[in-house]
Amino acid sequence: MKGEIKIEGARENNLKNINVSIPWHKFTVITGLSGSGKSSLALDTLYAEGLRRYIECLSTYARQFLERVDRPDMDDISGLPPAVAIESRNSVKTSRSTVGTTTEIYDFLRLLYSKVGKTFCPNCDIEVKLKSPEDIAHELVENHSDKRAVLTFPLEDLNPTPKGLLSKGFTRIWLNGGISDLEDLEKLPEGSEVVIDRVSVKQSSFSRIVESLETGFSDSKYVHVHILDGKMLRYSKDLECTSCHTKFSDPEPLLFSFNSPRGACPECNGFGNILKLDPSLIIPNSDKTLAEGAIEPLTKPSHQPRMRKLLESAAEYGVDINKPFSKLPKKSIDRVYEGMGSFKGINGFFKYLERKSYKMHVRVFLSKYRSAFDCDVCGGSRIKKEALCVKVGGRNIAELSDLPINNLKTFFDSLEFTDYENQIADEILKQINSRISFLVKVGLEYLTLSRLSKTLSGGEAQRVNLACQLGSTLTETLYIMDEPSIGLHQRDLARLIELIKELRDRDNTIVIVEHDFDMIGSADHIIELGPMAGEKGGDIVYQGAVKNFLKNGTNSLTKKYLLEKEGIPVPEKRRKGGSKNLKILGAKENNLKNISLSIPLKTFICVTGVSGSGKSSLVHDVLYAALARKFHSDIERVGLYDDIKGTDNISDVIMLDQNPIGKTLRSNPVTYIKVYDQIRKVLADTWQAKSKGLTASHFSFNVAGGRCEVCEGEGRQKVEMHFLADVYVVCEECGGNRFKKEVLDIKYKNKNVIEILDLTVDQAIIFFFETPSLGRKLKILQDVGLGYVRLGQPAPTLSGGEAQRIKIARELGKRGGNDTLYILDEPTVGLHAEDVKKLLDVINKLVLSGHTVLVVEHNMDVIKSADHVIDLGPEGGDKGGHIVVQGTPEEIAECKKSYTGKFLKKVLGK
């Protein structure tokens, strides 16, 4: 079936009334510079309209909210299939969601374990089976053939009378190895059992044995078979160990669910961990002495009296307050924790706070010194011990959940079942294996099913969702993806492209916002927006078949890079830095294999490696966390390592990540880089403002005075949507202008505060040429490639890459200071090659200013531009965590064991 999606007159954000055609059942890439309008077209127009049409199909109750939801700014759209957006951000916040539950693999595992799982007694390590009367009869005939036996059932909890038993047809009891008649008894002796039958165990008696067992189980939970050579066999109609008689529940799917009371560990409620006081947070720097404030919570002003008591008591009990805490003898440390004299000890201090935890500020204070530790009851498995007794292939469900995906694939490939079990498990195994193979194909073989979804990076979360969509087998659907190559090593890119094509070949339409040239070259159709960014973007540069893209005569920047008419040059020489460096010794967090390395200072360093090789564990969990604790008194948990030497060679550490620069609409680029203070001063210095008594604070939407108080300076108000996401409508009081009328009447060069905030950075530099100090700071934003961004663009609407470059701009704008270590995590996310070139210029400016820049990156243009590269691997997960090679990019390229080196060799032209 042929057709196309036609968008007419798209004007969302900076789109210039464009007409777009997207062919059905094809793989389409939307590309262009950052800020050229790609997301405006793909997400704000295409997906937003798809979502609106979905709501139209819902109930009348849902449709009433449509009039409150803004329609994308366009004339018309036709041929739009149901739309699914797979975005490059992780919005999961709950600890209940894991990779296993998100992909539904864990749900199928629960079903598998309930159907073919075998229960093993933890005390006896023998399989516990639920046996039918036929199974028991077969076992007796096989093991005790030609022997005489008496079948009885015990009187536990039954309390029958001899008359009652006689009325049911029972005439004898078993007592002390002998048989007695019931007729002669007035009451049943203690310890007696009711005789069901006396039988010779052989094949000809099989039916009689089965019938006797059924009779016994109808009156009791247990049947005893007394073999007349003295052995007694106990059988239960429930699941029970034949050796120690421990009882077990029948396996059912909910028994293995940590999100259900039926299966969740009662101690941790299915979270797998318990929040406890963490000594490493209470004493974050054990090199400090008690006098210097080694006990961090006692350094707070409100707890100074306890600090004085500690120091006084320490002197009285002979505890050295001037010796580093780590070097104090055990006896002294015990006294600090347990108490001495008037000081009740650290433990006593926190017990006191626990009693006050009904107060909010106390709960907040306590939370700073708690960490999650594995639950003592379930050992972190999240489920009841009973569920852990059920095994498939010799492993329980928690053990399978902790296996890396590639090891899990190996496990299921080698798993063997009986013919009967195969009939039951066949479809379940197909679902599990298909989902596992999709995760492997998207390059996530290093993840485990137990990995919390909220801990995934944006790229990992997107690829997990992509794997889910592949498992759903939907057809005639529009899939919109935002840079699926994020966080993916070049080695794994080919697999991702094949997966996207597989999704397309199921009669789906694929639209991807992407900058990677391999991805662009693999598409069927391309739409390039531009020619530049911001006001100079939003036009169609080219749309059509990829095969014709390189032949057309359009002035396309993307085409120039593909034809290598433009490019990022290899540096003429590599900086070696000075004699000073940072040394990390014995890093062993997560999958790091006790590695040690040296980081040359005053250089540009790249940490590389395939996904899951340990880059984030090394850079974030060990290096940054340890240095942040030293320089910022940060008390977040630090990853495992032996030592970091050379910290005196730097003055600070700053993480320039892609997190938003603010969470509210009142936060924007100029407030973040402190330029808005100067803009407010310029407006307050006008004669109009002075005549009305307006000060700089009246031009702030963060404080009362000049802002609209109805919307509190946000320009819009939230409308509760109940079961749907909340929507925002323009404030009726100020009409979205955020300020009161008397403030909006104040103008500088014929523009009021809102009109000034609506200027792009490029426009503002010209507008404020008479204020050089203001223009200099704005010029830095222009230098990092953000000339198209509006001064007052709300922080939540900025992409991760834009937010990161604004942070870099603020650092470049600081006067004085050097020897700072800047850490950037994948700064090329969302950047076109032309933007990457600008980013590298900015990084080099930081290095030339005497700073050190360390980047975690997969982009080969960035890696080839570094002075020093540290390549981790060789694989992800358990097979990663080693240093494969380190040195200059040329040295990395010569390493045959390095996947990074293989691709680096191509871009270096070797």
Side-chain angles (χ1 to χ4, degrees):
M1 184 172 67
K2 294 183 178 180
E4 62 182 7
I5 302 168
K6 295 190 75 172
I7 305 172
E8 297 179 10
R11 297 177 291 275
E12 192 68 23
N13 298 325
N14 68 332
L15 296 179
K16 303 295 193 319
N17 201 35
I18 59 175
N19 298 325
V20 178
S21 295
I22 299 172
W24 285 352
H25 307 159
K26 296 292 182 183
F27 171 13
T28 298
V29 165
I30 301 176
T31 191
L33 289 175
S34 299
S36 58
K38 304 181 297 298
S39 293
S40 298
L41 176 61
L43 297 173
D44 300 340
T45 301
L46 198 56
Y47 177 64
E49 182 59 20
L51 185 61
R52 277 181 57 84
R53 295 189 180 186
Y54 169 70
I55 296 175
E56 285 178 344
C57 299
L58 297 178
S59 64
T60 306
Y61 175 75
R63 288 199 298 272
Q64 68 176 303
F65 294 106
L66 268 177
E67 61 189 41
R68 300 185 185 179
V69 181
D70 291 338
R71 187 175 185 272
D73 191 0
M74 63 180 179
D75 294 334
D76 190 32
I77 185 168
S78 60
L80 183 63
V84 174
I86 306 176
E87 296 187 66
S88 58
R89 61 184 177 190
N90 188 355
S91 57
V92 177
K93 304 296 180 189
T94 176
S95 297
R96 292 284 182 192
S97 176
T98 65
V99 171
T101 59
T102 301
T103 58
E104 297 180 341
I105 295 175
Y106 191 78
D107 299 318
F108 284 107
L109 281 180
R110 293 194 294 115
L111 194 59
L112 181 72
Y113 271 77
S114 67
K115 296 294 184 183
V116 296
K118 296 177 180 179
T119 303
F120 287 83
C121 177
N123 305 318
C124 313
D125 197 28
I126 60 173
E127 184 180 350
V128 181
K129 295 181 179 179
L130 188 63
K131 298 177 180 178
S132 67
E134 288 80 3
D135 293 332
I136 298 170
H138 277 300
E139 184 180 303
L140 290 172
V141 171
E142 186 175 338
N143 298 327
H144 304 283
S145 183
D146 296 326
K147 292 182 180 178
R148 298 285 297 170
V150 178
L151 279 66
T152 68
F153 65 82
L155 298 175
E156 301 168 3
D157 303 322
L158 297 177
N159 298 321
T161 62
K163 287 185 179 180
L165 290 171
L166 286 166
S167 67
K168 288 186 176 183
F170 299 109
T171 59
R172 298 178 181 85
I173 61 167
W174 176 271
L175 183 64
N176 299 327
I179 296 176
S180 304
D181 288 332
L182 272 171
E183 291 181 351
D184 301 333
L185 301 174
E186 292 186 8
K187 74 176 210 175
L188 295 170
E190 190 174 338
S192 59
E193 299 174 13
V194 179
V195 175
I196 307 167
D197 197 2
R198 290 178 293 181
V199 66
S200 177
V201 180
K202 49 190 174 182
Q203 189 61 45
S204 59
S205 307
F206 182 84
S207 298
R208 178 175 172 179
I209 295 171
V210 169
E211 187 178 340
S212 298
L213 289 167
E214 289 173 344
T215 301
F217 283 136
S218 66
D219 283 280
S220 175
K221 289 183 179 180
Y222 304 100
V223 169
H224 294 168
V225 179
H226 299 271
I227 306 298
L228 292 186
D229 62 3
K231 189 172 184 180
M232 190 273 280
L233 305 173
R234 176 183 170 114
Y235 296 100
S236 171
K237 66 178 180 182
D238 297 325
L239 203 58
E240 182 180 293
C241 176
T242 55
S243 180
C244 67
H245 308 305
T246 301
K247 295 181 181 178
F248 301 89
S249 300
D250 291 340
E252 57 173 325
L254 283 179
L255 179 65
F256 306 98
S257 172
F258 46 79
N259 290 326
S260 164
R262 177 73 183 85
C265 168
E267 180 68 18
C268 63
N269 295 317
F271 286 101
N273 52 55
I274 302 288
L275 289 175
K276 297 179 182 178
L277 291 172
D278 188 342
S280 70
L281 300 182
I282 296 169
I283 304 171
N285 186 355
S286 60
D287 290 334
K288 282 186 176 182
T289 66
L290 291 175
E292 291 171 337
I295 303 174
E296 207 277 340
L298 297 187
T299 62
K300 308 303 179 190
S302 57
H303 299 301
Q304 285 299 306
R306 287 183 177 81
M307 174 64 95
R308 286 193 293 272
K309 285 183 179 180
L310 165 63
L311 299 179
E312 290 167 3
S313 299
E316 182 183 342
Y317 282 80
V319 176
D320 192 342
I321 63 171
N322 296 310
K323 181 182 281 190
F325 190 85
S326 59
K327 295 182 179 178
L328 288 175
K330 184 179 183 302
K331 186 177 181 181
S332 295
I333 292 173
D334 289 342
R335 281 178 172 167
V336 171
Y337 272 97
E338 301 302 329
M340 50 189 166
S342 60
F343 178 62
K344 301 302 179 186
I346 293 174
N347 293 340
F349 168 65
F350 278 102
K351 284 177 182 176
Y352 162 78
L353 291 178
E354 290 283 358
R355 293 194 295 271
K356 299 284 185 180
S357 61
Y358 57 86
K359 296 178 180 179
M360 175 62 77
H361 72 278
V362 175
R363 291 201 298 275
V364 171
F365 183 82
L366 283 170
S367 69
K368 293 179 180 179
Y369 303 99
R370 285 174 172 159
S371 290
F373 292 90
D374 280 351
C375 172
D376 295 331
V377 174
C378 68
S381 67
R382 309 177 70 157
I383 53 178
K384 292 177 179 177
K385 287 184 177 180
E386 187 180 350
L388 298 175
C389 295
V390 184
K391 298 182 179 182
V392 169
R395 293 179 181 264
N396 61 44
I397 196 168
E399 290 171 332
L400 287 193
S401 296
D402 288 336
L403 288 177
I405 296 297
N406 52 355
N407 291 359
L408 191 63
K409 185 178 187 301
T410 303
F411 173 82
F412 278 106
D413 287 344
S414 59
L415 189 61
E416 294 182 357
F417 285 124
T418 64
D419 291 341
Y420 174 70
E421 288 171 334
N422 271 323
Q423 288 178 355
I424 298 171
D426 184 55
E427 186 56 38
I428 302 172
L429 289 171
K430 282 181 183 176
Q431 295 293 336
I432 291 172
N433 287 323
S434 69
R435 283 164 167 78
I436 289 174
S437 66
F438 290 139
L439 286 173
V440 172
K441 285 180 180 178
V442 295
L444 296 175
E445 65 274 6
Y446 59 90
L447 292 182
T448 63
L449 297 183
S450 58
R451 173 82 174 264
L452 295 181
S453 298
K454 69 178 185 180
T455 66
L456 298 174
S457 68
E460 287 172 333
Q462 185 180 44
R463 281 179 278 144
V464 166
N465 289 329
L466 175 59
C468 292
Q469 293 301 326
L470 285 159
S472 68
T473 64
L474 288 176
T475 60
E476 301 297 340
T477 301
L478 168 63
Y479 286 100
I480 302 170
M481 301 179 211
D482 187 7
E483 289 206 80
S485 63
I486 289 173
L488 200 62
H489 194 275
Q490 286 293 117
R491 182 197 70 166
D492 303 314
L493 192 60
R495 287 189 293 180
L496 177 64
I497 291 170
E498 287 303 312
L499 221 61
I500 290 170
K501 288 181 177 179
E502 183 179 331
L503 200 58
R504 173 203 63 188
D505 293 342
R506 295 179 186 175
D507 290 339
N508 293 304
T509 303
I510 314 296
V511 174
I512 291 179
V513 176
E514 189 57 83
H515 296 104
D516 184 89
F517 292 137
D518 289 333
M519 188 76 79
I520 292 170
S522 302
D524 306 311
H525 192 80
I526 184 171
I527 299 168
E528 185 179 6
L529 297 178
M532 303 306 287
E535 293 296 309
K536 296 177 183 178
D539 280 313
I540 297 285
V541 176
Y542 174 84
Q543 63 173 323
V546 170
K547 61 184 178 182
N548 299 325
F549 178 52
L550 299 178
K551 301 174 186 176
N552 79 91
T554 56
N555 186 28
S556 162
L557 202 52
T558 303
K559 183 176 74 173
K560 288 178 181 178
Y561 274 94
L562 282 168
L563 293 173
E564 297 183 359
K565 291 180 179 179
E566 288 281 352
I568 296 172
V570 177
E572 292 181 5
K573 62 178 183 178
R574 310 287 180 188
R575 288 171 290 243
K576 294 183 179 179
S579 58
K580 297 178 179 179
N581 52 41
L582 270 177
K583 287 186 178 178
I584 303 173
L585 305 176
K588 38 191 171 283
E589 179 68 7
N590 295 328
N591 67 333
L592 295 177
K593 304 298 192 300
N594 199 28
I595 61 174
S596 299
L597 62 141
S598 181
I599 298 171
L601 298 179
K602 298 185 187 299
T603 62
F604 171 25
I605 306 111
C606 248
V607 179
T608 65
V610 299
S611 301
S613 58
K615 302 183 297 296
S616 294
S617 297
L618 175 64
V619 176
H620 289 258
D621 301 341
V622 175
L623 179 62
Y624 175 71
L627 295 179
R629 177 170 285 188
K630 174 180 172 62
F631 292 110
H632 306 153
S633 298
D634 196 318
I635 58 170
E636 291 297 316
R637 181 184 173 277
V638 179
L640 298 174
Y641 71 99
D642 293 335
D643 195 12
I644 296 180
K645 294 184 176 180
T647 56
D648 293 337
N649 296 329
I650 60 173
S651 59
D652 198 2
V653 62
I654 295 174
M655 174 70 74
L656 299 175
D657 55 27
Q658 296 204 355
N659 291 332
I661 58 172
K663 295 182 179 179
T664 70
L665 297 174
R666 293 189 292 270
S667 179
N668 57 49
V670 288
T671 58
Y672 189 79
I673 66 170
K674 307 300 181 185
V675 168
Y676 192 48
D677 295 342
Q678 291 176 265
I679 294 173
R680 291 190 292 116
K681 188 177 184 302
V682 167
L683 287 163
D685 284 344
T686 61
W687 68 268
Q688 292 173 295
K690 289 179 178 178
S691 65
K692 291 186 178 183
L694 299 179
T695 64
S697 65
H698 285 89
F699 297 92
S700 170
F701 29 63
N702 288 320
V703 295
R707 71 180 184 181
C708 169
E709 290 305 323
V710 174
C711 63
E712 296 183 330
E714 292 204 352
R716 60 183 191 173
Q717 294 172 279
K718 185 170 74 172
V719 177
E720 298 281 349
M721 292 287 281
H722 304 295
F723 68 96
L724 293 174
D726 296 333
V727 296
Y728 291 84
V729 296
V730 175
C731 173
E732 294 180 2
E733 179 69 21
C734 65
N737 289 321
R738 309 170 78 170
F739 290 95
K740 295 175 182 176
K741 185 179 183 302
E742 58 265 31
V743 173
L744 294 173
D745 287 339
I746 308 301
K747 295 190 176 184
Y748 173 74
K749 290 187 179 181
N750 294 321
K751 289 187 184 294
N752 63 27
V753 61
I754 285 298
E755 290 168 334
I756 289 172
L757 289 172
D758 201 41
L759 293 173
T760 65
V761 171
D762 291 335
Q763 293 168 338
I765 289 171
I766 299 169
F767 185 78
F768 288 111
F769 76 93
E770 294 171 349
T771 313
S773 61
L774 201 159
R776 276 195 301 271
K777 288 190 176 180
L778 291 175
K779 182 68 169 63
I780 297 171
L781 280 176
Q782 190 181 56
D783 290 343
V784 298
L786 294 175
Y788 63 90
V789 171
R790 297 189 183 279
L791 302 186
Q793 184 169 337
T797 67
L798 294 165
S799 70
E802 289 168 337
Q804 188 173 48
R805 281 180 286 160
I806 290 170
K807 292 176 184 179
I808 295 173
R810 185 168 75 168
E811 294 303 316
L812 285 170
K814 291 179 179 178
R815 293 296 181 93
N818 57 15
D819 296 331
T820 298
L821 172 62
Y822 290 102
I823 298 176
L824 290 78
D825 188 2
E826 291 202 72
T828 61
V829 169
L831 299 189
H832 188 276
E834 183 69 11
D835 300 308
V836 173
K837 185 189 289 187
K838 293 176 182 176
L839 174 71
L840 288 169
D841 288 340
V842 172
I843 287 174
N844 282 313
K845 282 181 182 178
L846 284 171
V847 176
L848 290 172
S849 299
H851 303 295
T852 305
V853 179
L854 188 147
V855 173
V856 177
E857 190 54 82
H858 291 109
N859 185 292
M860 289 297 154
D861 284 324
V862 174
I863 298 169
K864 78 178 185 185
S865 303
D867 300 314
H868 188 80
V869 177
I870 300 165
D871 190 41
L872 299 183
E875 302 287 343
D878 289 342
K879 295 180 181 177
H882 297 280
I883 295 177
V884 178
V885 60
Q886 56 180 324
T888 64
E890 287 76 15
E891 289 169 335
I892 305 300
E894 293 303 318
C895 179
K896 294 181 179 180
K897 295 180 181 179
S898 169
Y899 289 114
T900 303
K902 175 183 174 183
F903 291 95
L904 201 51
K905 202 165 191 174
K906 295 177 183 177
V907 298
L908 288 172
K910 290 198 168 191

